[in-house]
Amino acid sequence: MIKNIYKTWLTVITVVLFSSLTGVAQTQTVKTISACRLFADIENTSAVLGYIPAGKEVEVIEILDDYLLVKYEDMEGLILKDKTDNGAEMLSPAQQNQVQQKQVVNPGFIEDRLMLLSEKYGTKSGKAIYEHKIWKGMDHNMIRDSWGKPLRVSREVKTSGTVEIWTYRKSWLLLRNGILSEWGPNR
């Protein structure tokens, strides 16, 4: 944690110093070498904001360990460095070796998340899930597609059915028999 904060501050100081020396802020861009997920959070990588197709140029906002904080179209999020053309150069030699061993092309990968969700849940619900919305009556699969995997799940089995509380960073959700019935902010 402290190491990450130190690296982040060092990166910020370097960018500020470089920008002030040149008088112009340099915008760094990288190109995706394969389709990649745009994550909302490093702590919860199942919270996917969207997908970036292969060959798309993204603006790098910050370099964080194995991730890049990037801007793509109107979204900001995190992508894995090894999914970009320059990203591998930003990795350590050991990480570069792991990437080379793992790179497998998935020809069946669907790049358009909105289209996938619309096919799965219908146009109206698919669009709402794509926009990370929730509503009473959603089932557990819809919630996972909308908000991702919860940080914690508390489950209680009663004679009337199962009650679950899904905890996210800022909110909790109450599911009765797998159906969303209530939610609220964490305190």
Side-chain angles (χ1 to χ4, degrees):
M1 177 75 169
I2 293 173
K3 184 179 174 184
N4 290 344
I5 293 170
Y6 175 75
K7 283 182 179 180
T8 302
W9 276 108
L10 187 59
T11 302
V12 169
I13 291 168
T14 304
V15 169
V16 169
L17 285 174
F18 182 74
S19 297
S20 64
L21 288 174
T22 60
V24 178
Q26 298 280 327
T27 302
Q28 182 180 2
T29 60
V30 293
K31 191 179 279 190
T32 57
I33 55 174
S34 64
C36 56
R37 296 181 202 145
L38 185 65
F39 299 110
D41 192 354
I42 271 183
E43 295 172 10
N44 184 2
T45 54
S46 63
V48 178
L49 297 172
Y51 295 90
I52 303 174
K56 294 293 181 179
E57 206 164 271
V58 295
E59 179 183 336
V60 177
I61 298 168
E62 189 175 349
I63 301 169
L64 307 163
D65 289 331
D66 297 337
Y67 295 89
L68 298 174
L69 178 60
V70 299
K71 183 171 185 170
Y72 174 68
E73 293 179 346
D74 61 344
M75 297 184 290
E76 280 188 15
L78 300 153
I79 62 172
L80 288 165
K81 284 182 190 174
D82 63 359
K83 298 286 187 175
T84 65
D85 56 356
N86 297 22
E89 297 168 15
M90 299 175 196
L91 297 173
S92 69
Q95 290 170 322
Q96 288 177 9
N97 189 28
Q98 288 176 342
V99 169
Q100 290 170 351
Q101 292 173 358
K102 283 197 301 186
Q103 282 184 340
V104 177
V105 176
N106 183 357
F109 186 81
I110 298 174
E111 296 175 357
D112 188 355
R113 184 170 181 262
L114 178 58
M115 184 178 74
L116 173 68
L117 293 170
S118 295
E119 288 174 4
K120 191 172 181 181
Y121 300 113
T123 306
K124 186 177 176 184
S125 295
K127 185 173 189 295
I129 291 169
Y130 177 79
E131 294 170 348
H132 307 291
K133 294 180 181 176
I134 60 170
W135 60 90
K136 287 184 180 182
M138 292 178 84
D139 68 24
H140 64 281
N141 291 320
M142 296 169 93
I143 297 167
R144 280 194 184 243
D145 283 341
S146 183
W147 280 21
K149 181 180 173 186
L151 297 174
R152 186 174 58 249
V153 174
S154 302
R155 181 176 294 123
E156 188 177 333
V157 179
K158 299 179 177 185
T159 56
S160 60
T162 304
V163 176
E164 296 179 330
I165 297 177
W166 289 17
T167 306
Y168 290 86
R169 281 185 60 208
K170 296 180 182 178
S171 303
W172 56 267
L173 307 177
L174 178 70
L175 286 79
R176 288 190 167 91
N177 297 320
I179 304 298
L180 181 61
S181 62
E182 297 177 48
W183 64 88
N186 287 337
R187 297 176 200 221

